[in-house]
Amino acid sequence: MATANDLRKLALALEGATEVGHFGSPSFRVGGRIFAQMSDKKKEAILKLSPAHQELLFEVRPEAFSPEIWGNIRWTRAMLGEIPLDELKVLVREAYDQVAKAPKRKTKR
């Protein structure tokens, strides 16, 4: 099963990925935007996955995946001890791609 160290290694192996503290927990970013975060107790990963994939995971594997909601933003909480390393690798890559390939948001001036 996957561990917090596995999450860190997988995230930082991706091109341009950095680790930055976020509310006392490690977050992993590309282009300054978070694609994954480690929970305070380092037993969970919080990942930016596609809405369709989230729904599937929540329905099929509720023991391993649940929603992480901040206001109107919904990410995926993954219990690291319930996920094999090869699956975590795929999920981290998807989260990275969700952020790295997303168009930059325009800010009002």
Side-chain angles (χ1 to χ4, degrees):
M1 292 298 146
T3 67
N5 285 335
D6 293 329
L7 173 61
R8 178 175 277 119
K9 287 177 188 175
L10 292 169
L12 294 176
L14 298 168
E15 184 178 341
T18 59
E19 182 176 336
V20 178
H22 184 69
F23 294 102
S25 297
S27 71
F28 304 97
R29 301 170 186 237
V30 61
R33 297 167 59 199
I34 298 173
F35 64 91
Q37 184 171 337
M38 198 179 300
S39 68
D40 296 339
K41 296 179 183 172
K42 298 181 174 44
K43 294 181 186 235
E44 301 161 335
I46 302 165
L47 304 163
K48 182 173 180 66
L49 303 178
S50 71
H53 195 186
Q54 287 180 328
E55 289 304 319
L56 177 67
L57 291 172
F58 301 157
E59 184 177 327
V60 175
R61 301 204 24 229
E63 75 286 354
F65 300 99
S66 61
E68 178 66 27
I69 300 171
W70 298 298
N72 63 352
I73 300 170
R74 185 164 94 162
W75 287 42
T76 302
R77 180 176 292 271
M79 302 299 295
L80 293 171
E82 299 287 331
I83 303 168
L85 180 58
D86 60 335
E87 183 177 16
L88 181 62
K89 183 175 184 176
V90 171
L91 295 172
V92 168
R93 181 63 198 215
E94 178 186 337
Y96 171 88
D97 287 344
Q98 287 287 315
V99 172
K101 294 179 179 178
K104 301 283 184 194
R105 287 183 272 168
K106 294 182 181 180
T107 58
K108 293 182 181 180
R109 292 188 181 224

